Amino acid sequence: MGMMLVPPLGRAHAIVLIAVSIIGYAMRRNVGLKWILVILTFEGAIRIGMLIALTGQMWRIIH
């Protein structure tokens, strides 16, 4: 994710991905097992959404 900060194309997506990782990690450190799974589900959904958005943006630029 750090390398995605270099080109301006994926910079916003990379910042969100890094922020989600940091916030998710901080939240997972302070909750029980049941809530860890809930947090991981939301974290994964946000990551997948951001990666799909980045892929769509790259596709529009290529074509």
Side-chain angles (χ1 to χ4, degrees):
M1 286 186 276
M3 290 300 293
M4 288 175 58
L5 292 172
V6 176
L9 170 68
R11 192 169 294 149
H13 296 89
I15 291 170
V16 172
L17 287 169
I18 291 169
V20 166
S21 297
I22 291 170
I23 292 168
Y25 178 75
M27 290 176 69
R28 283 183 273 133
R29 295 281 296 166
N30 297 317
V31 298
L33 180 61
K34 183 173 107 176
W35 288 107
I36 288 175
L37 298 175
V38 173
I39 292 168
L40 281 171
T41 300
F42 283 114
E43 189 177 339
I46 293 170
R47 284 179 182 213
I48 290 171
M50 291 305 297
L51 291 174
I52 289 172
L54 179 61
T55 303
Q57 186 178 10
M58 289 174 26
W59 182 261
R60 283 190 299 272
I61 290 173
I62 292 172
H63 286 88

